[in-house]
């Protein structure tokens, strides 16, 4: 991994080496990895238990029934079926007719003793008593997404993870591939579970998979042709238990790669350089702070590829929302395309059409010269750091919710620099107040989002921004971060309407 490399002479032809065309897909598909034979070794004539009856668990049950011949099949869920929606409850009740055993809210973890292989839905903590018991007794434990991986038709696999930017980058990579005419399926932590999406995939597909740390924690066999790690900062410590375990889960994405695979990594994250140097695959680095070789960065407001020589990709302004963290995501997309042997014209052709997902530093409205931004997707410290750093005006921050065990103190210096005030909402606002008590800006509580917006607007001055960037999960008050953002947007637009009507 290079640092401070002199910029080669800029040229406009393509990097050396073959590039893939849409008609060349079949010739690039390698022999299937471990594949269905390995899956049948794991499942055939064995007693298989699926943990979780959500979307992923249901997809896993369907796929096991299609591709394997288990001696017995069962599903366990911590929830009470009586409290589920009618469709889910009906599906649960119908399982017995298919010979599938069910365990609803089993009190004794010993029920797993009767099963040989456990397929785990995302969200089960590593120390969950069912999993601890299974591992103690030597059971095979397989994440749901790897079940899909093993059963999939042969193709090219792109695994994407990071503390932030996973969804944006996954969507952008899939858009670039589809616009290049390549058969692409996308899912994982967004959209369809892998166990479901592979059932309709064709040989030669490009599988673009977003993977969370929950999914990666239990990884056993997954080998992506291109593995993308966007960034790593503390998150989900209530689930992983420590920063070290969380980072280790992210790095598992690379553990089965081989020397002819690619790792796309963030060169700006110096704390991971030692880990990156030991990766088995070929490295491509991106970042905003240097000229990464081989890799991608920014020079004089141009996106650049350094690959022996310097290749201009396009101006930064091609990106409709050129916040710094979005530019970093875009550089990762460029390198993923290069690793997949797309041509630079193929990559360039899509850049101007890539847009940020909703609720990610999304402008909502301007009210009396105060701009309102919805960054509800910022559920951790790392995301809020990027949001605050992107702001060029004083900010009234709305934050709070479920802090997930994070240490929020690292945001204090940015708050002191950027914030005019902070409005706190949600379950953990008292602990957040303690963490930010010495920042030197007003910290005001609000009981709900409507009150938070009104208070923030009163505290803002003309030219300021009101920023919803909570640093927390949303489930204490909302159905999810999208619901939280929608409520924020509605409240802001209602306030704008009321104020405009009062001046008529």
């Amino acid at each position: 991994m290079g640092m401070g490399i002199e910029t080669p002479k800029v040229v406009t032809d393509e990097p050396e080496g073959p590039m893939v065309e849409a008609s060349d897909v079949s010739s690039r598909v390698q022999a299937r990895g471990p594949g269905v034979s390995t899956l049948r070794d794991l499942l055939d004539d064995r007693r298989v238990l699926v943990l979780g009856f959500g979307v992923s668990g249901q997809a896993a049950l369907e796929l096991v029934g299609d591709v394997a011949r288990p001696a017995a099949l069962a599903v366990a869920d911590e929830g009470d079926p009586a409290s589920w929606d009618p469709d889910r409850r009906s599906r649960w009740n119908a399982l017995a007719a298919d010979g599938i055993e069910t365990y609803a809210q089993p009190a004794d973890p010993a029920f797993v003793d009767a099963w040989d292989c456990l397929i785990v839905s995302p969200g089960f903590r590593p120390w969950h008593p069912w999993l601890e018991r299974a591992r103690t007794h030597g059971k095979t434990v397989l994440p749901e997404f790897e079940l899909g991986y093993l059963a999939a038709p042969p193709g090219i696999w792109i695994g994407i993870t990071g503390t932030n930017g996973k969804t944006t980058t996954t969507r952008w990579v899939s858009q670039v591939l589809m616009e290049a005419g390549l058969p692409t399926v996308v899912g994982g932590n967004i959209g369809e579970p892998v166990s479901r999406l592979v059932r309709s995939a064709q040989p030669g597909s490009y599988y673009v998979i977003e993977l969370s740390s929950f999914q990666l924690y239990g990884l056993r066999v997954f080998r992506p042709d291109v593995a993308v790690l966007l960034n790593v900062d503390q998150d989900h410590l209530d689930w992983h238990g420590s920063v070290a375990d969380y980072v280790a889960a992210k790095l598992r994405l690379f553990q089965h790669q081989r020397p002819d695979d690619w790792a796309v990594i963030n060169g700006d994250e110096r704390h991971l350089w030692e880990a990156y140097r030991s990766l088995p695959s070929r490295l491509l680095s991106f970042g905003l702070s240097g000229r990464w070789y081989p890799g991608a960065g920014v020079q004089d407001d141009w996106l650049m590829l350094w690959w022996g020589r310097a290749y201009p990709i396009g101006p930064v302004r091609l990106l409709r929302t050129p916040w710094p963290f979005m530019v970093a995501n875009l550089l990762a997309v460029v390198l993923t395309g290069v690793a997949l042997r797309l041509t630079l014209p193929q990559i360039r052709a899509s850049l101007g059409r890539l847009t940020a997902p909703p609720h990610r530093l999304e402008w909502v409205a301007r009210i009396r010269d105060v701009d309102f931004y919805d960054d509800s997707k910022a559920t951790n410290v790392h995301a809020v750091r990027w949001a605050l750093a992107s702001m060029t005006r004083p900010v009234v921050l709305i934050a709070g919710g479920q802090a997930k065990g994070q240490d929020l103190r690292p945001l204090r210096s940015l708050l002191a620099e950027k914030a005019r005030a902070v409005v706190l909402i949600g379950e953990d606002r008292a602990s957040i107040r303690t963490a930010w008590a010495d920042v030197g800006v007003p910290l005001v509580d609000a009981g709900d989002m409507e009150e938070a917006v009104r208070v923030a607007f009163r505290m803002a001055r003309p030219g300021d921004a009101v920023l919803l960037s909570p640093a927390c999960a949303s489930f204490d008050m909302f159905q999810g971060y999208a619901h939280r953002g929608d409520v924020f947007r509605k409240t802001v637009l209602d306030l704008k309407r009321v104020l405009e009507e009062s001046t008529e």
Side-chain angles (χ1 to χ4, degrees), residues 282-351:
R282 296 174 288 183
L283 291 182
L284 291 172
S285 302
F286 67 91
L288 304 178
S289 69
R291 299 170 184 166
W292 303 107
Y293 178 83
V298 176
Q299 178 177 302
D300 298 327
D301 292 325
W302 272 77
L303 305 167
M304 298 294 297
L305 169 68
W306 287 284
W307 189 291
R309 294 173 289 181
Y311 300 88
I313 303 299
V316 171
R317 67 176 180 273
L318 280 177
L319 188 60
R320 296 184 185 181
T321 52
W323 303 109
F325 60 90
M326 290 292 182
V327 174
N329 294 339
L330 185 61
L331 294 172
V333 173
V334 169
L335 290 183
T336 302
V338 169
L340 293 170
R341 299 168 66 203
L342 297 183
T343 66
L344 293 186
Q346 284 174 316
I347 296 171
R348 290 188 190 108
S350 296
L351 296 189

Side-chain angles (χ1 to χ4, degrees), residues 69-349:
R69 300 177 181 85
L73 181 60
V75 59
D77 196 280
E78 295 179 287
D80 178 6
S83 67
W84 295 346
D85 65 76
D87 180 65
R88 185 181 180 196
R89 186 167 59 249
S90 174
R91 290 170 181 264
W92 176 268
N93 292 334
L95 294 174
D98 295 327
I100 299 173
E101 298 181 40
T102 57
Y103 297 86
Q105 298 181 300
D108 185 354
F111 82 96
V112 304
D113 295 354
W115 302 91
D116 304 310
C117 178
L118 279 67
I119 298 171
V120 185
S121 303
F124 277 83
R125 288 172 169 79
W127 57 83
H128 192 286
W130 301 352
L131 294 178
E132 286 189 333
R133 177 110 183 170
R135 294 190 184 99
T136 299
H137 288 73
K139 310 293 183 180
T140 299
V141 179
L142 188 72
E144 172 273 324
F145 85 91
E146 287 194 321
L147 175 73
Y149 168 67
L150 289 170
I156 305 298
W157 287 83
I158 303 100
I160 299 171
T161 194
T163 302
N164 291 294
K166 298 184 294 296
T167 300
T168 300
T169 305
T170 300
R171 288 175 174 168
W172 285 358
V173 168
S174 63
Q175 182 174 336
V176 169
L177 292 174
M178 286 187 282
E179 291 187 359
L182 303 177
T184 305
V185 292
V186 57
N189 196 51
I190 59 170
E192 293 280 5
V194 179
S195 291
R196 181 162 293 154
L197 67 88
V198 300
R199 299 177 70 191
S200 58
Q202 300 299 316
S205 292
Y206 284 69
Y207 300 93
V208 186
I209 308 300
E210 177 185 325
L211 294 167
S212 71
S213 60
F214 300 170
Q215 293 165 306
L216 291 170
Y217 177 85
L219 182 146
R220 291 171 55 90
V221 296
F222 181 59
R223 176 199 162 195
D225 298 89
V226 182
V228 183
L229 179 53
L230 298 166
N231 45 65
V232 182
D233 201 349
Q234 58 164 328
D235 197 13
H236 299 298
L237 301 189
D238 56 340
W239 198 94
H240 290 279
S242 70
V243 174
D245 284 349
Y246 172 72
V247 173
K250 291 295 191 185
L251 291 172
R252 285 190 180 96
L253 178 63
F254 305 102
Q255 71 179 26
H256 295 302
Q257 285 196 298
R258 299 176 185 172
D260 57 341
D261 296 325
W262 292 98
V264 176
I265 55 93
N266 188 335
D268 291 344
E269 301 218 317
R270 297 169 183 258
H271 61 291
L272 291 177
W273 280 0
E274 196 61 38
Y276 289 150
R277 290 190 180 101
S278 66
L279 295 182
S281 42
R282 296 174 288 183
L283 291 182
L284 291 172
S285 302
F286 67 91
L288 304 178
S289 69
R291 299 170 184 166
W292 303 107
Y293 178 83
V298 176
Q299 178 177 302
D300 298 327
D301 292 325
W302 272 77
L303 305 167
M304 298 294 297
L305 169 68
W306 287 284
W307 189 291
R309 294 173 289 181
Y311 300 88
I313 303 299
V316 171
R317 67 176 180 273
L318 280 177
L319 188 60
R320 296 184 185 181
T321 52
W323 303 109
F325 60 90
M326 290 292 182
V327 174
N329 294 339
L330 185 61
L331 294 172
V333 173
V334 169
L335 290 183
T336 302
V338 169
L340 293 170
R341 299 168 66 203
L342 297 183
T343 66
L344 293 186
Q346 284 174 316
I347 296 171
R348 290 188 190 108

